[in-house]
Amino acid sequence: MKTLIVNGTVIDPASGLNRRTNVLVEDGRVAQIGNTPSSAADRVIDAEGLLVVPGLVDIHVHFREPGFTHKETIHTGSLAAAAGGFTAVVCMPNTRPAIDTVETLAQVLETGRRDGLVKLFSSAAITYGIEGSRLTDMESLHQAGAVTFTDDGKTVMDPHLLYEAFRRAAELDVPISSHCEDHRLVDRGALNRGATSRRLGDPGIPALGEELIIARDILFAEETGARLHIQHVSTARGVQLIREAKARGVRVTAEGAPHHFTLTDEQALISGTLAKVNPPLRTARDVEAVAQGLRDGTLDAIATDHAPHTLEEKSLPLDRAPFGMVGLETAVGLTFTRLVHTGLLTAEQAIAKLTSAPAAVMGLPVGRLAAGLDADIAIIDPQKEWVVDPQTFLSRSRNTPFGGMRLTGKTVLTMVRGDIIYDDREGADNPWPADAD
Ligand code: NCD
């Protein structure tokens, strides 16, 4: 089967390609990028006015399997990924059991291959059960395919243990991904500590709690030579700490999440617990700093921290509802609306933050669009206006504060190894199973 994508603007940030041309897909791979005539293909996809880009890469998702499949499964999570234009994801290990043994990791990777649709990579935990007391067998887990080590959702507080984890990570040349929260300072609270938390009677989560750990982990990376990746940076001073560390040559990378470059803590007044996320939505100054960090390269990648929870769980009171929001299906809309259409990033820069840059952070063999490689492709309409309707999400969960928001920019088609796994074009037959559950 030969598929030809015609008339689109083809962008591959890794090679600097950004021009109107055609992409020929044959046997699951990109056969040619150039002006191949339509007559050479069995199927033609017209991408007039659209961007044809490498399949997007999200290095921070929670697919909840094993253990929390009422929130999401690897299958429903990858449907959501496909709908967002993502063709590769890195799963977080805070499942039940946690991804802390080779057996559980192998099971997750196998389920990914079996019902994943997208390319599924996995992290593994730094400590058993994400409990912060006993190091996992990082060598074996790395050999079995773990692309990064993290206790995401929690921070490893014991400095002896953490030093040993960084030392081993340096030896393995694998990044430590750090969820930054000093649990001695941050032990309560649902929202950023400030006017909104006070108004809602919440004790608040101080920005300092995140910044202390960013500073600490930068020093661990500097001391051991390990690669450090700072997850979901949410504060202005956090961005600045990473900027300074990069300037003096520390091997640190970082990600920004769409909700952190779009919403302030005041969103909780509108969306209640749907705006409860960890780290929390912060102030307008912080939101601006995250966007600027992405602009100047301090933050390498955009990652969604897709964190599904049921609406039942989210209907608990503010202090008891879980932290987190889904993000895969709104990421492109938010990135284009907030960063590209405002002139902060060019489309090519934004695509880099969603493809080649996150792939480089984790050393993944994805995020490129070039002849000879797998045809993992997203087609994006940068001008498409749409209103976020959580009812239409393919994720099993609908916990988003973005419902009803008007966005400009949307994924219209997603392909993995040449197979269309999402198609939102007019009159298209959607290829996903009718029962997304
Ligand atoms: C994450 C989750 O739900 O797993 N929630 C979140 O708010 N980001 C865990 C976490 O990172 O705290």
Side-chain angles (χ1 to χ4, degrees), residues 187-258:
D187 55 353
R188 321 171 291 147
L191 307 173
N192 178 51
R193 184 172 291 170
T196 304
S197 67
R198 281 195 293 279
R199 189 163 152 195
L200 295 176
D202 177 65
I205 300 173
L208 185 62
E210 182 175 340
E211 294 153 354
L212 284 171
I213 300 299
I214 294 177
R216 181 198 73 171
D217 286 0
I218 285 170
L219 295 180
F220 272 100
E222 197 164 21
E223 182 72 16
T224 59
R227 282 154 65 197
L228 166 66
H229 177 67
I230 305 285
Q231 300 179 300
H232 40 46
V233 181
S234 76
T235 86
R237 193 157 51 179
V239 174
Q240 183 57 20
L241 284 165
I242 296 161
R243 188 176 284 125
E244 289 163 7
K246 281 190 164 182
R248 65 172 195 273
V250 183
R251 298 174 84 197
V252 59
T253 56
E255 69 193 31

Side-chain angles (χ1 to χ4, degrees), residues 325-380:
M325 54 181 71
V326 289
L328 285 164
E329 295 173 75
T330 46
V332 162
L334 292 167
T335 298
F336 275 79
T337 304
R338 168 76 181 117
L339 303 180
V340 178
H341 295 311
T342 54
L344 271 172
L345 296 186
T346 63
E348 182 176 333
Q349 288 167 331
I351 295 304
K353 301 273 178 203
L354 288 161
T355 57
S356 50
V361 166
M362 295 295 164
L364 309 178
V366 292
R368 294 208 49 194
L369 181 52
L373 300 180
D374 280 358
D376 300 344
I377 297 174
I379 301 182
I380 292 172

